[in-house]
Amino acid sequence: MKNKFLLSGLIIAGLSLTSCKKCAECHYDAPNGIVEIGEYCGDDLEDIEQSGYTKDGVNYEVHCHDH
Amino acid sequence: MQAKVAILIYLMLSFSLSAQEIKGKVIDTDTKQPVPYAKVGFPSINVYTDADSLGGFKFKYLPQSHLKIKVSAFDYKVLVKDIDLASNELLIIELTPLHTVFEEVQVTASEGKVQRENITSIAVVSKDELFQTGATTLGESLIQIPGVQSSSVGMGISKPIIRGLSGMRVVTYNNGLRIENQQWGDDHGMAASELGLGKVEVVKGPSSLLYGADALGGVIHFLDEKYIRKDKDELYISSKFESNSMGTTNEIGYRTHKGKWRANIHANYINHADFQLPDGNFIKNSRFWSTNFKSSIGYRHKNFQLNIRYQLSHRRLGIPGHSHNAQPDVLDFISNKRQRKGTLPAQYNFDHFLLIENTIFFNRSNLLLEIGNTNSDLKEFDEKVTLPFTHLNVNNTSYNFRYSYKLLENMSLKTGVQGMAKINRNRFPSSSLLIPDANTLDNGVYALMDYEYKKWRFQGGLRYDIRFLNVLSAADLDSSLVNNINTDGLKRNFQGINYSAGFVRNAKLTSVRFNASSGYRAPHLAELQADGFHHGSLRYEKGSQTLKAEHAIQFDAALELHFDHLELIINPYYNRISDFIYLVQTDEFEGSFPVYEYKQTDLAHLFGGEVGFHYHPHSIHRLHINSNFSVTIAETNNGDPIGLMPQPNVNTSIRFDINNNHKISFKHVVLEHIYHLPQNRVGPNETFSVDYHLVNLATQFTIGDLKRLSASTGIRNLLNTQYQGHLSSLKNLGLSQPGINVFFSLKYQIK
């Protein structure tokens, strides 16, 4: 019985302490076509999707996909 | 006020509360001998039992009221009739022998009558019939109902079309609860699942009288599986596999009935990878998953019945047809590799439906009090993983209070009030608004009279509705959010006076029915305020704030011929809609998206009908051949075709009942053929569609003496036909629908 409680506790702790970090490949649409800017994860991904990508003083809207 | 409360208390206490046991016997009308093991029940209170070997049956704690009893037995004609339970007499039920039983007789929820006695055009189909050839989704299965078709975006999203009308013109009800789920969008599918479903009722044509505003095309009413019989319980697990999408559906269900309490609980999980085309390629991002939970708890004691129903659905639906190319090619949308992992664009739907339904039975009347709430949350992700393109929430609280009174033995009255308060809100963060925030308040009052005289039944009713619409201004929002809508606020009222009148005459050989009914629909927020892209429907849409309400009048007639081995039905209709709002494709393009505008024509004429037969020869008792043809022609007053109308179709099924008594016992084999005729009547810039044939084959069987394990297997699109449904959004991309699909499902009755 003790083992069952221990196992259940470990499973619950494991599930609540591990988070799924979302990653995606991102790009922006430059005047000469799509420019890939690599993979972003977690907070970085959220930041770049909201604030965009700045290159040569121009801020581009960023699109991220996992394809 | 005190007087009203006193009257209400008097009414509540005035009915008898004494415990009551009703006994009866089922006998053969010719021989007067007992009919053993007949099924006896009261559909309106969901109470059933089996008669014993001597035809005897009994019920406890029934309301002392007039109720409809339904009695069926093998090789007998199903009996449905009104009885007075207050009389306390022994019920003698006489059944008429019948050698050819066509199908199970269903009592409709909307009129409380068997199908043949309904005055409005109502089709009732059980879940077993809908899924007998293994349809993947509930939307796909509905095309078996004459006059009903569906439009789709991939396989996960489908919308019902009744007699050519869909979207906001088709109202969905779930056990009496009106469902609001952003159904205005072509890519916003039906918020219903086959989980725990008992049957589907489709009311064809304007149905404002009992269902309120908007139902110009009709109503789809999903009704839960019945509660199990008293002192029984049932636990099952089931699993279904589909080869085309490597899709699985796993389900668990429990039903119980102890004393006065009853409950049904079901849950499932559905997961499909990308669908395979007939040429072997896959439609990119046509994958979807969903999980659903449904529960009903019922309490019934003497003259009171309570049902509390709750349903939760969470769906993730991939949107096919996405490309980064400015001039996309069909090859951009397909892949030679099947994928299941979630990608964008996608929709996330999260729905809650709650209904509290009380019925109080008096001697000659009953009072129905329904209060419900639906909350539908929709996130559409387009090009960003963490930020939805749009995030919409609609919360709808509805009420329906209906008093049904039996004035005379052959005359009854239904009267009531019905309404809803709908709150549309955008949630943030999101990139764009597709519709503005708005509040809608609907109230309606109605009365419906029913009179029977010999073989005739007449019905007439009147209803008044008013809608207050308050669209909130979005002018103070960041301009980047409101690129797709008109930001001006708007306050408008819409009113409608509607009626329904008709008759049915039922004789042994013929049934004749005629009905005139009206309905109204106020323009939706999207029609009033849209001005931008809608990636889900793959087009740019423009609305207009000046649109008026639509008003419809439908004339519906039916002639049914009932021979010993053959039934024929002819059901023409004409639906005249004034101020018809429709979407028309313009010559313009915004990027790769065609621009569509909402326009209004003075008059739209929709006409057509359904013709069908059911052949069940006595010489080949196991054979059933069903066929029906449905067509809708829609045009403006000038005779110009109205676009986006479904292809006419002929559905034919040949069912051979086997019912052998071996270890593996086959129930039946079904061969289904669906022929979609060409659609040549199209709107401006809309493309034609060619005809195509689909063939499905399926069988059902049980394994073992106890028949706890049942299975179903078959092949859909047996000929691997390459076809493009006229109303499939994939057609605009040059994509075909899915190819051959082998399915296999197992259900194990644990208890």
Side-chain angles (χ1 to χ4, degrees):
Chain A
M1 196 63 188
K2 223 179 201 176
N3 287 342
K4 280 184 186 170
F5 277 121
L6 191 64
L7 188 65
S8 309
L10 280 173
I11 290 170
I12 293 165
L15 287 174
S16 35
L17 295 175
T18 36
S19 65
C20 187
K21 201 174 187 185
K22 196 176 268 186
C23 297
E25 292 287 335
C26 299
H27 67 266
Y28 64 89
D29 295 321
N32 299 326
I34 292 171
V35 178
E36 297 290 346
I37 52 172
E39 187 180 69
Y40 286 77
C41 296
D43 292 342
D44 293 341
L45 176 62
E46 204 167 322
D47 286 346
I48 199 154
E49 284 201 325
Q50 282 194 5
S51 52
Y53 184 83
T54 305
K55 171 102 185 196
D56 300 331
V58 182
N59 186 266
Y60 295 98
E61 190 179 6
V62 168
H63 306 300
C64 300
H65 278 235
D66 50 353
H67 68 203
Chain B
M1 186 63 195
Q2 277 180 336
K4 284 179 188 167
V5 172
I7 290 167
L8 187 66
I9 292 170
Y10 170 76
L11 283 171
M12 299 282 281
L13 297 176
S14 63
F15 54 83
S16 168
L17 291 175
S18 61
Q20 187 196 17
E21 188 174 86
I22 298 287
K23 288 184 179 175
K25 194 168 187 176
V26 185
I27 60 169
D28 185 301
T29 192
D30 296 336
T31 64
K32 307 297 178 197
Q33 292 299 304
V35 176
Y37 309 118
K39 289 182 169 54
V40 186
F42 298 91
S44 63
I45 54 171
N46 212 329
V47 171
Y48 296 87
T49 192
D50 289 326
D52 58 26
S53 59
L54 299 172
F57 64 87
K58 65 180 178 184
F59 290 96
K60 271 187 174 178
Y61 307 116
L62 290 181
Q64 294 195 358
S65 180
H66 284 256
L67 285 187
K68 205 166 284 295
I69 193 168
K70 179 180 172 186
V71 185
S72 60
F74 187 67
D75 276 349
Y76 284 90
K77 190 179 171 187
V78 177
L79 179 100
V80 178
K81 70 169 191 175
D82 267 335
I83 56 166
D84 181 6
L85 293 174
S87 66
N88 276 324
E89 290 168 1
L90 181 75
L91 292 174
I92 300 295
I93 306 291
E94 295 194 2
L95 292 185
T96 309
L98 194 69
H99 297 295
T100 45
V101 180
F102 278 95
E103 293 296 336
E104 196 199 347
V105 172
Q106 302 271 12
V107 178
T108 60
S110 46
E111 288 197 39
K113 299 283 176 187
V114 298
Q115 215 161 334
R116 195 184 284 187
E117 292 175 5
N118 287 303
I119 286 167
T120 43
S121 183
I122 303 177
V124 189
V125 188
S126 69
K127 180 186 172 184
D128 287 348
E129 289 171 274
L130 288 174
F131 285 88
Q132 67 178 358
T133 52
T136 300
T137 61
L138 182 58
E140 188 189 357
S141 75
L142 293 175
I143 63 164
Q144 289 184 42
I145 303 171
V148 181
Q149 281 115 335
S150 72
S151 62
S152 63
V153 180
M155 284 302 288
I157 302 171
S158 58
K159 294 174 77 71
I161 301 167
I162 304 176
R163 289 181 169 174
L165 298 174
S166 66
M168 290 306 296
R169 297 187 184 99
V170 170
V171 173
T172 306
Y173 271 76
N174 202 335
N175 300 297
L177 176 68
R178 181 174 168 138
I179 305 299
E180 289 290 326
N181 74 315
Q182 315 287 0
Q183 64 269 38
W184 53 273
D186 276 1
D187 60 319
H188 304 157
M190 203 170 47
S193 148
E194 65 271 28
L195 180 72
L197 181 71
K199 62 182 179 180
V200 179
E201 273 186 34
V202 178
V203 185
K204 300 172 198 171
S207 317
S208 283
L209 192 75
L210 284 179
Y211 295 98
D214 301 334
L216 293 196
V219 174
I220 295 212
H221 198 165
F222 296 101
L223 294 147
D224 281 357
E225 191 180 7
K226 289 177 201 163
Y227 290 120
I228 201 165
R229 283 156 209 224
K230 200 172 179 186
D231 300 324
K232 297 205 174 206
D233 53 4
E234 174 193 87
L235 175 66
Y236 72 87
I237 50 170
S238 71
S239 189
K240 182 181 179 192
F241 170 76
E242 294 178 60
S243 67
N244 184 285
S245 57
M246 293 292 151
T248 54
T249 302
N250 293 298
E251 183 176 322
I252 185 165
Y254 179 64
R255 296 194 298 159
T256 186
H257 189 158
K258 297 267 158 58
K260 298 166 187 170
W261 291 92
R262 315 170 284 178
N264 289 356
I265 299 170
H266 302 270
N268 73 1
Y269 176 71
I270 301 167
N271 194 313
H272 290 265
D274 288 343
F275 282 81
Q276 191 168 29
L277 293 162
D279 65 6
N281 283 312
F282 299 91
I283 306 174
K284 277 186 195 170
N285 200 20
S286 55
R287 64 208 77 162
F288 68 94
W289 60 252
S290 75
T291 186
N292 303 280
F293 171 81
K294 185 183 260 187
S295 65
S296 308
I297 295 172
Y299 175 81
R300 192 182 63 76
H301 184 62
K302 296 172 189 168
N303 291 15
F304 172 70
Q305 175 176 274
L306 167 72
N307 287 305
I308 300 174
R309 301 181 195 272
Y310 175 71
Q311 186 177 332
L312 179 149
S313 301
H314 189 204
R315 299 182 293 280
R316 186 198 189 282
L317 307 159
I319 309 287
H322 178 70
S323 169
H324 291 148
N325 291 345
Q327 298 295 326
D329 182 79
V330 67
L331 294 174
D332 294 328
F333 309 125
I334 60 176
S335 163
N336 57 10
K337 198 173 147 200
R338 187 201 311 273
Q339 290 193 55
R340 190 181 295 272
K341 190 182 169 195
T343 187
L344 300 184
Q347 281 182 9
Y348 285 83
N349 294 265
F350 200 51
D351 298 331
H352 299 267
F353 304 149
L354 173 69
L355 175 69
I356 301 169
E357 171 199 309
N358 295 282
T359 314
I360 303 164
F361 294 92
F362 305 94
N363 184 21
R364 301 185 67 84
S365 61
N366 66 70
L367 178 64
L368 172 74
L369 307 166
E370 284 178 331
I371 294 176
N373 180 267
T374 66
N375 190 292
S376 177
D377 198 75
L378 170 67
K379 279 190 214 177
E380 291 188 7
F381 286 87
D382 182 8
E383 294 259 10
K384 291 178 193 290
V385 177
T386 59
L387 184 67
F389 170 70
T390 195
H391 186 174
L392 301 162
N393 185 280
V394 57
N395 189 297
N396 189 42
T397 302
S398 57
Y399 69 89
N400 180 22
F401 303 150
R402 187 173 70 210
Y403 184 63
S404 305
Y405 186 68
K406 203 169 177 71
L407 297 164
L408 300 167
E409 280 312 303
N410 58 352
M411 187 188 280
S412 61
L413 172 74
K414 277 181 191 160
T415 181
V417 288
Q418 192 179 35
M420 62 180 190
K422 186 163 71 173
I423 301 166
N424 283 84
R425 289 290 180 272
N426 286 278
R427 300 284 190 227
F428 299 99
S430 70
S431 301
S432 185
L433 274 61
L434 285 183
I435 51 172
D437 290 352
N439 301 326
T440 311
L441 185 65
D442 273 26
N443 285 297
V445 56
Y446 64 90
L448 181 69
M449 185 77 90
D450 203 284
Y451 176 68
E452 286 178 46
Y453 179 72
K454 294 182 179 172
K455 292 174 180 171
W456 296 83
R457 183 171 166 245
F458 301 90
Q459 193 185 65
L462 203 61
R463 175 172 178 131
Y464 171 74
D465 280 283
I466 185 159
R467 169 171 291 182
F468 301 99
L469 173 68
N470 182 12
V471 180
L472 309 182
S473 168
D476 55 343
L477 290 175
D478 190 294
S479 60
S480 65
L481 285 170
V482 291
N483 285 333
N484 293 325
I485 58 165
N486 179 344
T487 56
D488 296 340
L490 179 71
K491 278 189 183 178
R492 288 184 66 181
N493 296 343
F494 301 94
Q495 296 180 61
I497 295 175
N498 291 295
Y499 64 85
S500 175
F503 69 85
V504 62
R505 183 188 182 277
N506 272 305
K508 193 180 173 191
L509 188 65
T510 58
S511 296
V512 181
R513 178 169 57 73
F514 177 78
N515 178 248
S517 62
S518 71
Y520 97 106
R521 183 183 79 89
H524 183 259
L525 287 173
E527 294 162 334
L528 295 165
Q529 305 279 136
D531 191 2
F533 289 110
H534 194 176
H535 286 258
S537 57
L538 308 168
R539 60 188 174 219
Y540 187 103
E541 294 178 359
K542 280 184 181 171
S544 164
Q545 282 198 335
T546 58
L547 294 173
K548 293 182 277 188
E550 295 177 333
H551 291 267
I553 300 169
Q554 179 183 265
F555 301 101
D556 179 281
L559 170 67
E560 293 180 34
L561 299 173
H562 316 287
F563 302 106
D564 283 348
H565 310 294
L566 181 70
E567 284 194 335
L568 293 168
I569 179 165
I570 302 165
N571 186 184
Y573 71 90
Y574 167 60
N575 193 355
R576 179 184 187 273
I577 306 179
S578 51
D579 298 316
F580 183 77
I581 300 167
Y582 65 109
L583 204 52
V584 62
Q585 187 173 346
T586 65
D587 296 330
E588 297 169 46
F589 275 80
E590 288 283 347
S592 60
F593 292 91
V595 175
Y596 282 73
E597 277 182 2
Y598 283 104
K599 290 194 170 177
Q600 200 152 28
T601 178
D602 288 344
L603 272 181
H605 307 275
L606 282 83
F607 52 93
E610 298 95 43
V611 180
F613 73 85
H614 183 177
Y615 180 55
H616 178 39
H618 188 41
S619 54
I620 316 171
H621 201 58
R622 295 166 187 269
L623 182 68
H624 288 262
I625 301 175
N626 259 303
S627 187
N628 60 71
F629 168 68
S630 307
V631 62
T632 294
I633 295 165
E635 57 189 34
T636 64
N637 217 18
N638 303 327
D640 300 327
I642 291 172
L644 300 174
M645 285 292 139
Q647 293 165 269
N649 65 300
V650 183
N651 291 9
T652 305
S653 70
I654 301 171
R655 194 183 84 208
F656 193 77
D657 294 337
I658 301 171
N659 293 320
N660 61 323
N661 211 4
H662 297 116
K663 287 265 183 206
I664 296 179
S665 171
F666 282 88
K667 191 179 172 192
H668 57 232
V669 178
V670 184
L671 181 69
E672 186 176 69
H673 172 249
I674 303 166
Y675 176 46
H676 288 266
L677 280 76
Q679 180 54 282
N680 297 321
R681 291 179 59 83
V682 293
N685 298 308
E686 188 185 353
T687 54
F688 300 106
S689 287
V690 297
D691 60 337
Y692 58 89
H693 298 263
L694 294 175
V695 177
N696 304 319
L697 177 68
T699 185
Q700 286 181 25
F701 55 95
T702 55
I703 302 164
D705 294 333
L706 295 173
K707 301 190 173 178
R708 281 174 177 265
L709 185 62
S710 56
S712 162
T713 185
I715 307 170
R716 291 185 70 76
N717 194 0
L718 181 67
L719 305 177
N720 202 26
T721 305
Q722 183 144 347
Y723 68 101
Q724 295 180 336
H726 186 66
L727 297 179
S728 163
S729 66
L730 299 181
K731 182 193 161 202
N732 299 334
L733 308 171
L735 288 174
S736 169
Q737 295 286 103
I740 191 167
N741 184 19
V742 179
F743 69 90
F744 184 75
S745 72
L746 275 176
K747 181 177 179 184
Y748 182 64
Q749 203 88 29
I750 299 168
K751 213 169 162 184

